Amino acid sequence: NAGVTQTPKFQVLKTGQSMTLQCAQDMNHEYMSWYRQDPGMGLRLIHYSVGAGITDQGEVPNGYNVSRSTTEDFPLRLLSAAPSQTSVYFCASGTGPSYEQYFGPGTRLTVT
Amino acid sequence: AQTVTQSQPEMSVQEAETVTLSCTYDTSENNYYLFWYKQPPSRQMILVIRQEAYKQQNATENRFSVNFQKAAKSFSLKISDSQLGDTAMYFCAFMTTGNQFYFGTGTSLTVIP
């Protein structure tokens, strides 16, 4: 099993550009989530999904979109990148009842 | 509002000694799950230990154990026989019945040889 995979590992964007961060898991987990990690802030939940076709907002959803068409994939879309979105992004998956999170390796995104 | 507070930004411990990392949280829910995650310099997040709020017995996992005080909303992590590989950021987290995870700001632990 590859676990949770994320692509790309690094990305630099210009302000206003859009892009999609990819996340996939091969553990048949129903729960998938996206976090951002900023210095001194810990991890903050952006969006999450409890199954294909179901998504919901977390703590910091503004500027991000998600969809969940399959159990395996949970892409995160930045609609119009802003410098405030410079961060490290983690995707995670989990299974019930506690949905303990298994994390991907992260994507370091810089918006200039 | 759900919050997680880790009041120790940095800690250090001598190799082979014991260290305790503190965590408090605030929630109005009665059923939830608590976690400690470790993030070494590689950046990979690794689950250390999990506790169900409805269980009174404290969770243990080899050298790692927790002290869960539900009434005080406290969830500390004890690391026994500290090893150099324990050097990492440690994050406390909890998950509500609404399926949302909340993380603390982390404690940077350094194990000194």
Side-chain angles (χ1 to χ4, degrees):
Chain A
N1 284 352
V4 180
T5 58
Q6 291 183 237
T7 55
K9 285 189 169 51
F10 301 93
Q11 183 70 49
V12 179
L13 288 179
K14 293 189 187 314
T15 297
Q17 287 184 318
S18 62
M19 79 158 297
T20 299
L21 305 184
Q22 301 292 343
C23 175
Q25 53 95 5
D26 61 0
M27 297 174 282
N28 202 32
H29 287 169
E30 62 269 34
Y31 187 98
M32 295 188 75
S33 53
W34 278 101
Y35 299 87
R36 59 178 290 171
Q37 183 178 24
D38 302 296
M41 301 286 288
L43 277 77
R44 292 181 292 168
L45 182 64
I46 303 171
H47 286 285
Y48 66 99
S49 167
V50 296
I54 305 168
T55 62
D56 209 342
Q57 296 181 352
E59 194 180 351
V60 288
N62 291 342
Y64 307 95
N65 272 359
V66 293
S67 60
R68 183 101 179 265
S69 56
T70 66
T71 299
E72 295 78 20
D73 300 298
F74 191 46
L76 178 72
R77 297 181 187 86
L78 280 70
L79 307 173
S80 177
S84 61
Q85 293 179 304
T86 292
S87 188
V88 177
Y89 291 85
F90 286 97
C91 179
S93 72
T95 189
S98 69
Y99 294 138
E100 59 191 58
Q101 303 281 266
Y102 293 85
F103 284 84
T107 295
R108 182 176 293 279
L109 175 68
T110 302
V111 183
T112 61
Chain B
Q2 327 272 6
T3 59
V4 181
T5 301
Q6 294 180 249
S7 58
Q8 306 151 313
E10 295 181 357
M11 295 189 71
S12 61
V13 62
Q14 292 290 137
E15 194 175 6
E17 296 294 307
T18 295
V19 64
T20 298
L21 281 58
S22 65
C23 172
T24 58
Y25 58 93
D26 188 22
T27 180
S28 58
E29 300 193 10
N30 193 46
N31 293 321
Y32 47 88
Y33 294 89
L34 294 156
F35 308 88
W36 278 97
Y37 282 89
K38 167 184 176 180
Q39 187 179 40
S42 67
R43 201 172 70 189
Q44 180 68 49
M45 294 285 288
I46 302 164
L47 176 68
V48 174
I49 200 164
R50 179 187 76 175
Q51 173 80 43
E52 293 89 343
Y54 60 85
K55 287 188 178 178
Q56 292 188 342
Q57 186 174 2
N58 289 326
T60 62
E61 197 71 44
N62 300 316
R63 298 183 293 108
F64 299 88
S65 61
V66 299
N67 183 4
F68 174 47
Q69 303 288 330
K70 190 172 183 179
K73 295 181 181 175
S74 169
F75 183 60
S76 61
L77 175 71
K78 186 171 84 171
I79 306 174
S80 304
D81 185 26
S82 296
Q83 300 176 0
L84 297 179
D86 296 333
T87 292
M89 282 289 288
Y90 287 82
F91 292 96
C92 177
F94 79 96
M95 190 200 79
T96 68
T97 53
N99 299 323
Q100 294 209 30
F101 279 82
Y102 297 88
F103 282 77
T105 53
T107 295
S108 177
L109 177 68
T110 301
V111 179
I112 302 166

